[in-house]
């Protein structure tokens, strides 16, 4: 049986464990953060327990990893200890995390994206003012490297935009990469928000992220599930499936969540995620786990 190392959260780990076991892939969790990790300095002792890394044997016996750890410093240690190929390695995770870089590559390849400008701090206020002149309000302001909707806001005029920028400058620490850049992006009102899953180049299902009536009445607009939206399984139309597949192909990432925004007259790629959460199997194509397992096996064979 193939052994797969997963560093993703418990929710995804629990969802994939049984379906992959049915396909002769044993899933093991490797804790890569919020603990100590022995780097060097001798063999392990019998007294090493709990949050202390118990030496090389903790990482032994794996054949392949799913996605590189989200914290790159810890990831370097875990990667060295495991010594396995990753379905999505460090380069894929770093590339997808860079929202501006993703949009620049997709736009250069002719794929539709929201109008977006990257601002690299520190800059004078005049730089932000000049960058905002090419947009109509409201605009979306978001950290370039954050996830789960952290730090994302809308600005209705120049004063509120500069206020959001001040907030980002003062309190957002960009812990993932040290990135202090942010995006100014056009706001697409009433856009439907889809997360398409692409596995080995082919669309494998999708969800629509929906806010309930109370949230909408309260003026909320961010559709992140971690912010309270509900993910409902849907069948994407051919245009949306094709766009998600083209995005994954352009980025060269085999296992990718592609976030699409759709209005009555536009369909754009908004972001991508090379560490996508796996939802309930009912929200994906019937052969999702067969394709997922095949990709894992093919990756293991590259070792």
């Amino acid at each position: 049986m193939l052994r797969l190392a997963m560093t993703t959260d418990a929710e995804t780990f629990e969802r994939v464990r049984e379906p992959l076991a049915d396909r002769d892939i044993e899933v093991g969790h490797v804790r890569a953060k919020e603990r100590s990790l022995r780097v060097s300095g001798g063999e392990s002792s019998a007294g090493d327990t709990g949050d202390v890394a118990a030496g090389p044997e903790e990482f032994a016996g794996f054949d392949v990893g799913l996605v590189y750890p989200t914290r790159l410093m810890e990831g370097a240690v875990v990667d060295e200890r495991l010594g396995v190929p990753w379905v999505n390695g460090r380069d894929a995770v770093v590339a997808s995390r860079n929202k501006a870089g993703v949009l620049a590559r997709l736009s250069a390849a002719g794929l539709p994206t929201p109008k977006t400008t990257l601002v690299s701090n520190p800059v004078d206020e005049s730089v932000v003012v000049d960058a905002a002149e090419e947009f109509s309000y409201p605009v979306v302001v978001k950290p370039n490297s954050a996830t789960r909707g952290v730090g994302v806001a809308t600005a209705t005029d120049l004063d509120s935009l500069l206020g959001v920028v001040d907030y980002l400058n003062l309190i957002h620490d960009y812990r993932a990469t040290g990135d202090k850049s942010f995006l100014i992006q056009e706001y697409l009102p009433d856009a439907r928000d889809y997360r398409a899953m692409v596995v080995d180049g082919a669309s494998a299902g999708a969800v629509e992220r929906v806010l309930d009536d109370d949230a909408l009445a309260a003026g909320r607009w961010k559709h992140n599930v971690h912010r309270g939206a509900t993910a409902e399984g849907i069948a994407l139309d051919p245009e949306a499936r094709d766009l998600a597949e083209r995005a994954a192909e352009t980025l060269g990432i085999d296992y990718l969540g592609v976030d699409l925004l759709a209005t009555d007259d536009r369909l754009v790629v908004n972001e991508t995620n090379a560490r996508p959460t796996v939802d309930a199997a009912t929200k994906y194509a019937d052969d999702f786990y067969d394709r997922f397992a095949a990709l894992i096996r093919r990756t293991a064979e590259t070792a």
Side-chain angles (χ1 to χ4, degrees):
M1 179 176 283
L2 201 69
R3 291 198 71 213
L4 172 71
M6 284 189 61
T7 65
T8 47
D9 60 30
E11 186 178 55
T12 291
F13 174 78
E14 291 299 333
R15 282 175 177 156
V16 307
R17 184 165 56 175
E18 185 174 338
L20 288 180
D22 292 340
R23 292 159 177 83
D24 295 324
I25 298 175
E26 178 186 352
V27 182
H29 186 257
V30 174
R31 185 177 169 194
K33 63 182 181 181
E34 298 175 357
R35 58 168 302 175
S36 64
L37 285 163
R38 178 167 297 162
V39 174
S40 62
E43 298 300 322
S44 62
S45 68
D48 285 342
T49 59
D51 288 345
V52 177
E57 66 274 10
E58 178 184 357
F59 302 97
F62 288 102
D63 302 294
V64 60
L66 184 58
V67 291
Y68 195 90
T70 184
R71 296 187 182 179
L72 302 182
M73 301 300 104
E74 292 91 325
V77 176
V78 172
D79 182 33
E80 180 64 29
R81 287 295 187 86
L82 285 171
V84 298
W86 298 89
V87 172
N88 282 353
R90 184 184 187 279
D91 289 349
V93 171
V94 171
S96 178
R97 181 179 292 165
N98 183 347
K99 295 179 174 64
V102 165
L103 294 177
R105 288 177 65 181
L106 298 182
S107 179
L111 277 64
T113 60
K115 181 179 180 180
T116 305
T117 293
L118 172 74
V119 179
S120 177
N121 268 335
V123 295
D124 292 335
E125 185 176 285
S126 61
V127 175
V128 179
V129 172
D130 290 344
E133 285 185 350
E134 58 185 272
F135 291 87
S136 298
Y137 288 97
V139 295
V140 177
V141 188
K142 62 174 69 171
N144 185 45
S145 297
T147 61
R148 299 184 174 184
V150 173
V152 180
T154 54
T156 56
D157 54 29
L158 180 59
D159 283 341
S160 61
L161 170 61
L162 295 175
V164 172
V165 172
D166 285 343
Y167 156 75
L168 291 174
N169 291 340
L170 287 171
I171 70 170
H172 200 92
D173 60 7
Y174 303 90
R175 288 175 296 177
T177 62
D179 180 13
K180 296 184 182 298
S181 61
F182 63 91
L183 307 182
I184 302 174
Q185 191 171 75
E186 68 172 311
Y187 177 66
L188 300 179
D190 302 319
R192 298 176 296 282
D193 188 317
Y194 303 128
R195 160 65 63 86
M197 186 73 84
V198 180
V199 177
D200 208 8
S203 174
V207 296
E208 180 175 3
R209 296 178 288 203
V210 181
L211 292 171
D212 61 29
D213 292 340
D214 290 341
L216 292 172
R220 292 175 55 193
W221 61 279
K222 289 189 280 187
H223 289 81
N224 304 78
V225 172
H226 294 92
R227 299 286 172 178
T230 300
E232 301 176 354
I234 61 162
L236 289 177
D237 62 36
E239 180 185 5
R241 291 198 303 271
D242 178 68
L243 180 55
E245 291 170 356
R246 290 168 61 203
E249 180 182 15
T250 299
L251 298 176
I253 300 177
D254 289 327
Y255 171 56
L256 188 67
V258 181
D259 293 347
L260 305 173
L261 295 178
T263 66
D264 290 342
D265 58 355
R266 291 181 67 189
L267 175 68
V268 300
V269 179
N270 189 43
E271 295 181 9
T272 63
N273 189 339
R275 294 179 56 86
T277 298
V278 176
D279 215 312
T282 54
K283 299 177 182 179
Y284 297 125
D286 291 341
D287 63 348
F288 168 77
Y289 275 105
D290 291 331
R291 284 197 268 153
F292 192 29
L295 173 60
I296 292 167
R297 289 190 176 281
R298 181 166 60 79
T299 304
E301 291 169 359
T302 66

